[in-house]
Amino acid sequence: MPLDTSLELPKVIELEPTLTCNLRCRMCHVSFMPDEPRPALSAELIDKLASLRGVYVILGSGFEPMMNRQFATIVRKLTSLDAKIELITNGTLLSDDNMSALLDADVNIFQFSFDGIRPDTYEHIRRNSKYSSTIDAICAVRQRFAGRSTLFSVNSTMMKRNMPEVDEIIDFWDRADFDRVLFLFMVVRQNEPELIRESLYPVRSKFYELLDRAAENLIVNRRKIIMGNPWFYKSSLKSRFPNNVRDGLVFSDNPATRVTPAPRQDFQLGAGPGMSFPCKSPWTFARIMANGDVQLCYQFTVGNLRDSAFEDIWFGDEANAVRARVAQEIKLCQSCDYYRFCLKSRDLDCDDPKSYFQGDLLRGLDTVDFEAGTMRVDDVRAPELIESIGAFNIVRFRGSYLGVPQNLGPLDLASVRYEDLPGLIVSSNLRETRRAIKASTGSG
């Protein structure tokens, strides 16, 4: 297949320096990952991104990027490429060297994950973290960036426990000179009683009232900070304050208010060449994993930076084959959780229980008992992506480690026979699965 010379290099890339985290937040997928060694991105591989000068880099997304011991070096190398950086972090590992590198970088957005605002609530949700030291470190970063154009944002995952703190969250981060707070619905990803009991779905009406009250307070008192949640697409506040509620965000007439850009939506939404589905990610976006893999569509590995420069991978045969396949098989896009929960989170229906559950748990929605924290599904653990090796994903499912060829596309592992899946590798041990994949690809 010839190179597609009409294709431009991506406008946005996501870089995962690690596949782990120092915290074990109760609702996070990391808390349910097996205790196995995880790869860390070698800073030397950033040199393979030389063609991406000026690119927008989202640094960290599903894991804590500063767990990589070379984090500061990675940032400095990205700075040498004139990269614009959006950093997503829990704020607990802001060492002097990390801060020095970030102060010299073009940090467009500092995005902190911080759930609730009361110490006991925060420490209950974000296990292994200390409220006082973390809040002090985050506020110190804000002060060190004072006077710069860098935007500061907080993602607060909301559940029953921290739902009453909406007003306090807005008040605290507004006084700390932050630009935005995004209130995220907790998505239940595991059949765990505490998570089910903490779901906002059965108390969503009360949560809407709290959001509306905080939003009206923000508008009337002309607070600088912006708040966001999909509820504001439906809220009656839109008719009362038509100039202050837009695109799921609420903002006042304060002249110091700063709108935070959304590069994912700006560059990834809209149909790609030959597509009817409104997502052009394979043509505008790539994800680089901690082992050097380059992925399209959050699922297809099309090369590795250890073997090739980024531009050779991006314009290469494997990447072009994925683009052709995505254009032909719309079901790949329709079943994509990345599209549903990230790119189009603004379209989540707050009154649909499917917006509060993910994966195999969707099959048990009609059995949920929110008070007891129980539900019945065929398997209590959804398939869990452990890592990617070449053209294989290693998935932990029902006590086995599966080496799943990526060319099989999205699979419902609970409803297929393994023997019907060509190239599938099954083992009870992660190391054996890794060895079998390497043997099958001749890379062992």
Side-chain angles (χ1 to χ4, degrees):
M1 182 181 297
L3 296 182
D4 182 358
T5 56
S6 65
L7 182 67
E8 295 182 357
L9 286 165
K11 309 297 185 184
V12 181
I13 64 168
E14 184 176 295
L15 201 62
E16 288 283 11
T18 66
L19 294 181
T20 188
C21 185
N22 59 320
L23 305 186
R24 291 296 180 267
C25 303
R26 294 182 181 274
M27 66 291 179
C28 182
H29 62 100
V30 177
S31 295
F32 301 93
M33 292 171 63
D35 187 15
E36 298 280 358
R38 304 288 171 191
L41 184 73
S42 170
E44 294 179 356
L45 295 183
I46 302 300
D47 297 336
K48 299 291 189 76
L49 306 179
S51 62
L52 295 178
R53 183 164 297 279
V55 71
Y56 193 99
V57 178
I58 299 170
L59 193 54
S61 180
F63 305 90
E64 173 49 51
M66 294 188 202
M67 284 291 286
N68 188 314
R69 295 181 180 179
Q70 293 185 305
F71 175 82
T73 303
I74 290 172
V75 171
R76 291 186 176 105
K77 284 181 173 287
L78 291 172
T79 299
S80 71
L81 296 175
D82 298 326
K84 292 178 173 59
I85 295 175
E86 175 178 331
L87 176 63
I88 304 173
T89 176
N90 59 39
T92 62
L93 300 174
L94 295 161
S95 67
D96 290 342
D97 195 30
N98 288 342
M99 277 306 306
S100 176
L102 290 165
L103 285 164
D104 290 336
D106 183 2
V107 182
N108 193 47
I109 305 175
F110 245 116
Q111 194 149 224
F112 292 98
S113 299
F114 199 98
D115 307 316
I117 202 59
R118 300 173 189 170
D120 56 339
T121 304
Y122 171 83
E123 291 183 359
H124 176 83
I125 296 172
R126 296 203 153 244
R127 293 174 292 189
N128 297 350
S129 186
K130 296 298 182 183
Y131 177 90
S132 295
S133 58
T134 304
I135 205 82
D136 288 347
I138 292 173
C139 290
V141 173
R142 181 67 191 96
Q143 291 171 6
R144 295 185 72 177
F145 275 78
R148 295 174 56 162
S149 61
T150 303
L151 294 152
F152 278 76
S153 179
V154 168
N155 291 334
S156 187
T157 301
M158 303 304 294
M159 55 194 80
K160 282 184 181 178
R161 179 175 293 267
N162 60 1
M163 182 178 74
E165 300 176 28
V166 171
D167 276 317
E168 298 169 55
I169 292 170
I170 290 291
D171 180 66
F172 182 91
W173 294 114
D174 185 56
R175 286 187 288 107
D177 197 25
F178 270 59
D179 298 289
R180 182 184 69 180
V181 173
L182 295 180
F183 292 97
L184 311 177
F185 293 112
M186 181 187 71
V187 177
V188 180
R189 295 178 172 87
Q190 303 288 337
N191 192 350
E192 292 288 328
E194 180 179 1
L195 296 184
I196 296 171
R197 287 194 294 265
E198 285 286 348
S199 174
L200 287 174
Y201 178 73
V203 294
R204 61 194 184 280
S205 295
K206 177 61 177 177
F207 184 53
Y208 303 160
E209 292 176 11
L210 294 172
L211 287 174
D212 280 346
R213 184 179 71 189
E216 184 169 359
N217 178 285
L218 183 155
I219 295 168
V220 171
N221 291 292
R222 303 184 77 229
R223 291 184 177 270
K224 169 182 173 287
I225 201 165
I226 293 172
M227 65 183 292
N229 181 271
W231 161 246
F232 293 119
Y233 286 96
K234 291 183 174 182
S235 171
S236 62
L237 285 178
K238 290 175 61 176
S239 59
R240 294 176 55 204
F241 301 98
N243 296 323
N244 302 102
V245 183
R246 185 171 64 245
D247 297 331
L249 301 173
V250 177
F251 45 90
S252 76
D253 297 325
N254 189 319
T257 294
R258 300 191 297 170
V259 176
T260 305
R264 293 182 195 267
Q265 286 79 10
D266 293 343
F267 291 114
Q268 293 177 253
L269 291 179
M275 291 185 67
S276 58
F277 195 84
C279 181
K280 53 187 176 185
S281 289
W283 290 268
T284 61
F285 171 84
R287 188 185 191 203
I288 298 172
M289 303 300 293
N291 65 353
D293 279 345
V294 178
Q295 289 187 345
L296 302 184
C297 294
Y298 256 65
Q299 57 182 308
F300 298 110
T301 297
V302 293
N304 190 289
L305 294 177
R306 297 185 185 276
D307 305 318
S308 307
F310 181 86
E311 65 268 26
D312 294 330
I313 297 171
W314 179 257
F315 293 116
D317 289 353
E318 292 185 59
N320 286 335
V322 167
R323 295 180 186 109
R325 183 179 177 190
V326 169
Q328 294 170 2
E329 300 181 36
I330 193 171
K331 65 179 182 180
L332 296 176
C333 301
Q334 292 171 333
S335 62
C336 178
D337 278 338
Y338 172 64
Y339 178 84
R340 178 181 169 215
F341 285 108
C342 189
L343 293 183
K344 291 292 282 184
S345 59
R346 65 183 63 179
D347 288 349
L348 288 174
D349 184 350
C350 306
D351 293 318
D352 185 347
K354 293 180 181 177
S355 296
Y356 298 80
F357 291 84
Q358 190 177 27
D360 282 352
L361 300 184
L362 293 173
R363 298 202 305 268
L365 287 182
D366 59 346
T367 70
V368 178
D369 184 330
F370 287 100
E371 184 174 349
T374 60
M375 65 188 305
R376 294 193 306 274
V377 289
D378 294 337
D379 184 75
V380 297
R381 299 285 185 184
E384 179 183 358
L385 177 65
I386 303 300
E387 61 181 311
S388 297
I389 298 179
F392 282 79
N393 291 333
I394 297 183
V395 177
R396 187 170 183 259
F397 185 54
R398 292 180 176 172
S400 297
Y401 290 90
L402 311 178
V404 184
Q406 294 173 352
N407 60 16
L408 295 178
L411 296 170
D412 182 358
L413 292 172
S415 62
V416 298
R417 297 194 312 163
Y418 292 171
E419 56 267 30
D420 292 337
L421 301 176
L424 185 79
I425 294 169
V426 183
S427 174
S428 61
N429 182 280
L430 178 58
R431 289 183 176 86
E432 290 179 3
T433 305
R434 288 170 174 161
R435 283 197 293 267
I437 290 173
K438 293 176 180 178
S440 71
T441 59
S443 60

